[in-house]
Amino acid sequence: MIAHSHRVLLALLAGVACGCSAAHAEDEFPPFEQVSDGFTAIAGPADGTAGLWRVWRRDRDAQLLGELPADYEGSRFYIVPTIAGGDSQTGVYSTWHPAIRQDARQHYWTRRNNLLVLMEPNLAYRTSGDAQSRAAAERVDTDRVVLSTPIVATGPNGGPVIDLDAVLLGQAGQFFGSFTAGADLRLARIESAKAFPYNVEISLSLPRRGGQIGVVHYSIGAPPRSETYEPRRADRRVGYYYTNYNDRSLHGLDEPVVRYIHRWHVEPADPTLRLSPPKRPIVYYIEHTTPIRYRRWVREGIEAWNKAFERVGIVGAIEVRQQDAATGAYMDLDPEDMRYSFLRWTNSDMGFAIGPSHAHPDTGEIYEADIVMDEAFLDSWIRDQFDATLAGTAMAGVDRETERFLAENPSWDPRFVLAAPEDRAAVLEHHRARVEGREAAGPVPPTLSPLAWSLPDPHQAHAGGLCPCMPGLAGNIDTLRTAMLVDLVPATAGDGGADAGASLLDGLPESFVGPFLRDVISHEVGHTLGLSHNWAASSVYTFQEINSEAFRGRITHSASVMDYTPANIIVEDGTLVQGDYCPIDIGPYDYWAIEYGYTRGDTSGVLDRATLPEHRFVSEEGQTGPDPHSRTFELGENSIDYAAARIAFVHRVRARLLDDVVEDGASWQRARQIYQSTLNTQLGACITASHWIGGAHFNRNVKGAEGSAPPLTPVAVDRQRRAIAFICDNAFRDEAFGLTPEILAHLGTDQWWDSNINDRQDWPVHDAVFGVQSSALTALVNPMRIGRVLDNQVRTPAGEDALSVPELLGAVRESIWSELDAPEFGAGASDRQPAISSMRRHLQGEHVRRLIELGTGLRWPGSAAGTIQSLARAELRTLLATVERASQRRLDTATLAHLADMRERITRALDAAYIRRD
């Protein structure tokens, strides 16, 4: 223990220093009764079984003692560290926080004199070869020392006793990085300590540097293994989380990496039956904290997977049991006991849903899974996090090459442009820290909040089952609430239409909230069954099919619940009908994936069906890839159709903003919040369209598979051109923002001192519009986009049409400067009604600034640097001629000054570029 007797520790250390034998040192240990004076044993499992470790606690000074089993030497166990309080990531995923360097890692203890050394085995390299190769691998791929701690006594069961709090608190940096750095350990407190047959759960609180109380939780366990479990090799055509290692004995063309999928050991009790009960079902307990009004939908979300298991001959593979405080049912079970899988319900004001599971690193067999559901997303979190949400929307799908470019050129970065001026220095610091691989100084600014946006990390997602769906969950609810206000869905249960007579849940139609909750639960259960995300699933059907009578209520509109799907709410246009708001069941991909993972025997016949459109799979790493089908919160085979529907929704909301959206007696701040929400929707539609530009459809088909296509096929050029036009129309035109003097007069704020006192009373019109326009401009012209357009030109066969970089740059220029070539340009212009509006002048100035940077030496990553530099100068020359012609007209003062400035900047830039080149 941290405050343990100095005399005991000095004696121990003296014994180590003089090289005393282990037997002699044990004689020097104080009696356990002396060491444990004032301690109380933590009760073991209620059923009387022995716990993993024996633990004693002394609350007055936060001391813990732990006795290891007598046969501890070399026995492996895991440690999962989780931040449980004092941080924005509380209770979500340990791997979300930059200070934490591990999730569930295997460890074992070994003894060195009177020290116990915590080791981490090297599981990344193994060999299945002969004795010589095994010996060579063991010599090279050695294990790692994590920490060491003295033995303080011999326990009642004959095992070594360690100062457990000295390990968990005194050496917490090994598990939590800088989260506990500078903490005052003297004020630590034991929040909870529990011992179970296979695991020990300990939570400790302590004041962090600065005084805020932090809570750290350790889950320490040694799960049992199934002797009859057979590992299954992973196949990249179907999405499972997997455990992997390098086999040193594999040579030649064989890939040296062995991968085993994560799955439960579920097998039929009678394999001779077509449908057999399982030998041992997967049992989920719904925690009693789950509100009664939601329990039906939670149960349905879990049980939906039973239909997939029936395809492999197992009926009732999953059982659901409701813990209930009123009746006492299953109240004797503890959710932290790893023998039981729980669906836990919280309300932490974070609005998340997670489905983590842990598997044996040797085989991939899942031994534990818990789902955590937080209902705070029902509070329309998105409206109160406008800057963060808008930044997250702007950055969707950005790859790491462009991320580094943006860190070096922050004026191009949406997160910098959208940040409040006082936060921009912090944004710069966090950008640089991220690309440099270090921890940033200072708090995370809102536009970089990990809960609003986090650059997808496939390794992190795979390791911890990362599921950052909160902004999308909140956005779906926000969309529904707004749709109710503009009469696109019934506002009350008594209204007419499909929801007539339906009940309400928390003020929302149960016909929306219920299936939506069921879909989220099914998604998280899918993770606990081993399934990873599948970002291609929502692109299987067309937007027209999704919103048709043939689909509504009959066919789920996503091929898998493992995608993130947006709320499907449309404005009636005469050709579509309102389809289901969200997926209504698990999809065809889900049935197929379970068949691959859980069928018995040969799986080759299952994999032969990988080429079916409904079985298409794109994993986490595909989110920044070239395929527009591999995106989250988009819908339909051609997501530009979905984007157009979102713009129609925006226009509907803005048209009714003052009359219907803000009800009598409500604050006008609601108008501001909802208008800002429509800005996010508008930008999101443009980002959705941008993914088609330079895109290429990707698949994981293998050679010779029936119906397979080449792994890469450029996106049809007509769709790319439509995407460019869509963005230009909906981001660069003043009319796209629907701002009238009447609307602007009503975008007020309440300015409560405890919440939004820093919000400007006068809504920053130009800053907000420019933020959207600048973000859209970055989406159109960035290293990733340009590079992919260039690559597609080479991929496209000679004689076939293809989008070119000059065409892209020219289309952007023509849209941003369109008024200059209009015959009526300047007619009737005055200082009160300028020929070029103030918002357009800001956009045009930004366009010229970026062209100048590109044309005069801005460091552009990749081989496209030379091409983009010469094309940028060509654009500047074309634009200079246009500006000079327009300047000859009779114009207002502001427009003339603007054009003169543009002409001078372009001229000077071109002169400087050629001087530098010469």
Side-chain angles (χ1 to χ4, degrees):
M1 58 219 77
I2 295 170
H4 203 271
S5 168
H6 290 278
R7 180 181 60 81
V8 173
L9 291 181
L10 286 172
L12 289 169
L13 294 173
V16 174
C18 70
C20 297
S21 67
H24 179 71
E26 287 174 1
D27 294 338
E28 297 296 320
F29 292 152
F32 177 75
E33 292 74 16
Q34 176 183 335
V35 173
S36 62
D37 182 43
F39 283 77
T40 302
I42 295 172
D47 58 10
T49 56
L52 175 70
W53 295 350
R54 295 193 69 184
V55 180
W56 294 262
R57 63 187 289 176
R58 191 169 70 196
D59 288 340
R60 72 170 185 265
D61 50 1
Q63 302 299 304
L64 290 166
L65 291 172
E67 180 189 5
L68 309 184
D71 60 349
Y72 71 91
E73 184 88 26
S75 296
R76 290 184 186 177
F77 59 92
Y78 69 75
I79 300 178
V80 181
T82 304
I83 293 175
D87 188 84
S88 62
Q89 311 303 303
T90 292
V92 183
Y93 274 113
S94 59
T95 50
W96 273 30
H97 197 281
I100 295 177
R101 299 178 298 219
Q102 61 180 14
D103 183 41
R105 295 286 181 88
Q106 294 283 312
H107 297 85
Y108 65 89
W109 290 107
T110 188
R111 183 170 177 169
R112 298 289 187 271
N113 293 321
N114 290 337
L115 293 176
L116 282 184
V117 182
L118 185 66
M119 303 291 296
E120 182 181 337
N122 189 337
L123 301 178
Y125 295 93
R126 310 172 204 176
T127 180
S128 57
D130 53 29
Q132 291 75 23
S133 67
R134 288 197 300 272
E138 290 171 0
R139 185 170 60 249
V140 174
D141 307 315
T142 55
D143 296 346
R144 184 179 76 92
V145 172
V146 179
L147 56 84
S148 63
T149 187
I151 302 171
V152 299
T154 299
N157 292 340
V161 176
I162 61 173
D163 186 348
L164 193 54
D165 62 279
V167 173
L168 303 183
L169 283 177
Q171 303 194 59
Q174 294 291 340
F175 305 100
F176 293 97
S178 63
F179 181 77
T180 55
D184 189 344
L185 302 183
R186 299 170 303 171
L187 300 180
R189 187 171 70 177
I190 302 170
E191 295 294 330
S192 67
K194 301 177 183 179
F196 303 104
Y198 304 129
N199 60 303
V200 174
E201 305 292 323
I202 297 174
S203 290
L204 303 156
S205 65
L206 67 169
R208 301 174 61 198
R209 180 188 289 128
Q212 183 180 10
I213 298 295
V215 182
V216 294
H217 181 89
Y218 290 90
S219 180
I220 305 168
R225 297 170 180 267
S226 301
E227 294 182 1
T228 59
Y229 179 82
E230 295 182 2
R232 175 152 298 171
R233 287 293 187 103
D235 190 288
R236 214 55 185 130
R237 288 169 286 179
V238 58
Y240 273 84
Y241 294 125
Y242 56 86
T243 186
N244 64 291
Y245 63 89
N246 281 62
D247 191 333
R248 295 291 199 187
S249 65
L250 297 179
H251 305 288
L253 295 178
D254 292 329
E255 186 179 14
V257 181
V258 175
R259 304 178 180 93
Y260 293 135
I261 67 170
H262 292 181
R263 59 176 183 150
W264 293 89
H265 188 204
V266 182
E267 53 186 346
D270 185 349
T272 66
L273 297 176
R274 185 182 67 84
L275 284 176
S276 168
K279 283 184 179 179
R280 183 181 178 184
I282 305 169
V283 181
Y284 292 92
Y285 294 87
I286 302 175
E287 193 176 22
H288 67 93
T289 54
T290 305
I292 293 175
R293 63 188 182 276
Y294 295 134
R295 290 180 182 179
R296 165 202 164 189
W297 299 101
V298 170
R299 176 180 289 272
E300 288 184 10
I302 300 172
E303 291 179 337
W305 289 97
N306 271 329
K307 298 190 292 289
F309 279 95
E310 290 178 11
R311 293 277 184 93
V312 299
I314 304 176
V315 63
I318 297 174
E319 293 183 7
V320 181
R321 299 172 187 172
Q322 178 67 60
Q323 188 184 55
D324 189 82
T327 65
Y330 306 112
M331 291 299 293
D332 59 325
L333 305 185
D334 193 314
E336 292 189 334
D337 188 337
M338 68 169 292
R339 292 175 296 174
Y340 309 107
S341 293
F342 266 79
L343 187 144
R344 310 188 70 177
W345 195 275
T346 66
N347 195 340
S348 67
D349 198 32
M350 290 178 64
F352 64 87
I354 60 175
S357 64
H358 300 298
H360 290 294
D362 298 315
T363 63
E365 179 190 2
I366 295 175
Y367 56 78
E368 180 194 28
D370 286 294
I371 300 163
V372 183
M373 186 72 196
D374 188 276
E375 67 176 272
F377 66 85
L378 293 170
D379 294 331
S380 289
W381 168 91
I382 195 170
R383 291 183 188 168
D384 297 324
Q385 301 287 334
F386 170 64
D387 290 344
T389 306
L390 200 63
T393 298
M395 295 298 295
V398 169
D399 68 328
R400 291 202 173 275
E401 179 183 48
T402 303
E403 164 75 358
R404 182 173 290 275
F405 169 81
L406 294 177
E408 295 171 352
N409 301 278
S411 61
W412 290 62
D413 195 321
R415 295 162 298 175
F416 179 84
V417 176
L418 294 167
E422 62 270 20
D423 290 331
R424 288 178 180 170
V427 170
L428 287 176
E429 160 61 13
H430 280 264
H431 283 182
R432 289 168 181 154
R434 186 179 185 93
V435 299
E436 293 169 6
R438 60 177 174 83
E439 190 170 343
V444 178
T447 54
L448 293 180
S449 168
L451 289 179
W453 174 83
S454 181
L455 189 68
D457 186 337
H459 300 290
Q460 190 181 69
H462 177 82
L466 184 65
C467 198
C469 56
M470 184 180 81
L473 297 180
N476 282 348
I477 295 298
D478 185 76
T479 297
L480 174 70
R481 291 191 188 278
T482 304
M484 290 171 58
L485 295 172
V486 296
D487 297 328
L488 289 176
V489 297
T492 67
D495 286 355
D499 296 293
S503 59
L504 297 178
L505 291 181
D506 299 329
L508 298 170
E510 186 172 11
S511 59
F512 179 92
V513 177
F516 175 65
L517 176 58
R518 178 180 59 201
D519 179 62
V520 174
I521 296 296
S522 290
H523 178 100
E524 302 306 334
V525 172
H527 282 318
T528 67
L529 297 175
L531 297 181
S532 63
H533 289 118
N534 179 5
W535 300 140
S538 61
S539 64
V540 170
Y541 307 112
T542 68
F543 194 66
Q544 290 70 29
E545 288 175 319
I546 290 168
N547 292 288
S548 67
E549 292 288 357
F551 267 61
R552 186 167 63 180
R554 298 178 179 89
I555 302 174
T556 189
H557 61 240
S558 179
S560 173
V561 294
M562 303 314 297
D563 202 345
Y564 290 167
T565 54
N568 176 42
I569 296 176
I570 64 170
V571 177
E572 176 59 54
D573 65 354
T575 61
L576 303 176
V577 300
Q578 175 61 62
D580 295 314
Y581 300 138
C582 69
I584 58 175
D585 204 348
I586 63 173
Y589 168 85
D590 301 318
Y591 282 92
W592 177 68
I594 292 296
E595 186 179 1
Y596 170 72
Y598 290 89
T599 194
R600 288 169 289 144
D602 183 23
T603 60
S604 58
V606 179
L607 291 171
D608 285 343
R609 288 180 270 126
T611 57
L612 295 177
E614 61 269 25
H615 293 167
R616 188 160 176 267
F617 162 66
V618 174
S619 57
E620 274 86 357
E621 56 267 34
Q623 193 173 5
T624 59
D627 196 337
H629 288 157
S630 64
R631 299 294 184 257
T632 60
F633 294 108
E634 297 176 2
L635 197 58
E637 188 280 325
N638 184 353
S639 58
I640 308 176
D641 293 336
Y642 165 73
R646 298 297 285 155
I647 292 296
F649 176 79
V650 165
H651 292 329
R652 170 75 165 248
V653 173
R654 290 173 180 170
R656 301 192 176 192
L657 184 64
L658 304 183
D659 295 333
D660 299 330
V661 174
V662 182
E663 301 168 340
D664 290 344
S667 167
W668 282 109
Q669 178 171 298
R670 181 176 296 178
R672 179 170 175 158
Q673 291 174 328
I674 294 179
Y675 181 82
Q676 290 180 155
S677 180
T678 66
L679 272 186
N680 182 65
T681 302
Q682 178 180 352
L683 177 58
C686 292
I687 299 301
T688 293
S690 72
H691 296 150
W692 291 85
I693 304 167
H697 297 300
F698 172 75
N699 69 71
R700 300 180 185 276
N701 297 339
V702 298
K703 183 177 180 179
E706 183 178 355
S708 64
L712 281 172
T713 305
V715 164
V717 68
D718 60 327
R719 291 190 176 185
Q720 297 187 62
R721 288 176 176 141
R722 181 188 175 192
I724 296 170
F726 180 91
I727 296 170
C728 291
D729 287 344
N730 293 290
F732 299 151
R733 296 185 308 113
D734 289 357
E735 297 79 8
F737 295 88
L739 287 169
T740 64
E742 185 180 14
I743 285 179
L744 289 171
H746 289 87
L747 301 186
T749 178
D750 291 342
Q751 288 199 307
W752 291 101
W753 68 266
D754 57 352
S755 58
N756 62 344
I757 193 171
N758 292 322
D759 287 352
R760 280 180 48 175
Q761 289 178 313
D762 52 333
W763 187 66
V765 184
H766 288 85
D767 286 350
V769 171
F770 179 75
V772 172
Q773 293 180 326
S774 175
S775 299
L777 191 55
T778 297
L780 278 169
V781 182
N782 65 61
M784 173 184 64
R785 189 80 56 224
I786 297 299
R788 285 177 175 164
V789 170
L790 280 172
D791 288 347
N792 271 353
Q793 288 185 258
V794 180
R795 289 193 186 102
T796 304
E800 292 186 15
D801 193 9
L803 181 69
S804 67
V805 176
E807 181 181 353
L808 171 60
L809 296 179
V812 171
R813 169 179 43 79
E814 290 171 4
S815 173
I816 292 176
W817 297 87
S818 59
E819 56 265 80
L820 270 65
D821 286 327
E824 66 277 9
F825 176 66
S830 66
D831 289 350
R832 178 65 183 86
Q833 296 292 333
I836 304 177
S837 72
S838 56
M839 289 189 287
R840 291 280 285 183
R841 294 198 300 270
H842 290 173
L843 173 62
Q844 291 169 0
E846 178 67 8
H847 180 236
V848 166
R849 185 190 66 78
R850 295 195 187 191
L851 286 176
I852 290 173
E853 289 185 354
L854 290 174
T856 58
L858 175 68
R859 195 166 73 85
W860 187 269
S863 59
T867 297
I868 193 67
Q869 188 175 60
S870 60
L871 289 175
R873 288 200 292 266
E875 284 293 305
L876 287 171
R877 287 191 292 271
T878 301
L879 185 54
L880 178 61
T882 302
V883 168
E884 288 176 337
R885 287 196 305 272
S887 300
Q888 305 306 311
R889 303 204 181 189
R890 189 181 186 87
L891 301 170
D892 57 276
T893 305
T895 299
L896 283 172
H898 167 66
L899 294 178
D901 183 50
M902 295 298 100
R903 184 173 62 250
E904 183 175 0
R905 289 170 61 188
I906 294 172
T907 301
R908 289 176 178 268
L910 289 173
D911 290 343
Y914 286 109
I915 292 173
R916 185 180 298 115
R917 189 181 66 174
D918 295 339

